[in-house]
Amino acid sequence: MMLIKRQVFEKIGLLNENYFMYHEDVDFCLRASLASLRIVYAPRSIIWHKVGATNIGKTPFYFYYLFATPYL
């Protein structure tokens, strides 16, 4: 979960669609860090995710998008 101000998108752009799943957030945070923007990690936060149907378990779908997608 990320809360991002509109100004951040205006400065560094949107999430890179080439990553699609599992890596786009890392790329986005790296670009924010390189732009000297502040990133805050809140480890005690609780996020309630009502449905997690995208990937249930360690399926071929999971491994494909975790390991086989190109890093552009």
Side-chain angles (χ1 to χ4, degrees):
M1 162 93 185
M2 290 193 290
L3 299 174
I4 306 166
K5 293 181 179 181
R6 178 179 48 90
Q7 292 86 351
V8 173
F9 292 110
E10 291 170 351
K11 185 169 185 174
I12 66 169
L14 301 174
L15 295 165
N16 186 338
E17 291 184 14
N18 292 321
Y19 293 118
F20 175 64
M21 183 176 278
Y22 301 123
H23 303 290
E24 71 279 10
D25 54 343
V26 175
D27 171 70
F28 188 82
C29 290
L30 177 60
R31 289 187 288 127
S33 179
L34 291 173
S36 298
L37 297 171
R38 190 172 128 221
I39 299 172
V40 177
Y41 170 59
R44 297 180 73 196
S45 298
I46 298 173
I47 306 299
W48 295 96
H49 194 263
K50 186 174 181 179
V51 177
T54 302
N55 182 28
I56 300 171
K58 303 293 189 246
T59 63
F61 178 87
Y62 167 83
F63 287 108
Y64 175 79
Y65 284 107
L66 186 62
F67 299 111
T69 55
Y71 291 89
L72 302 173

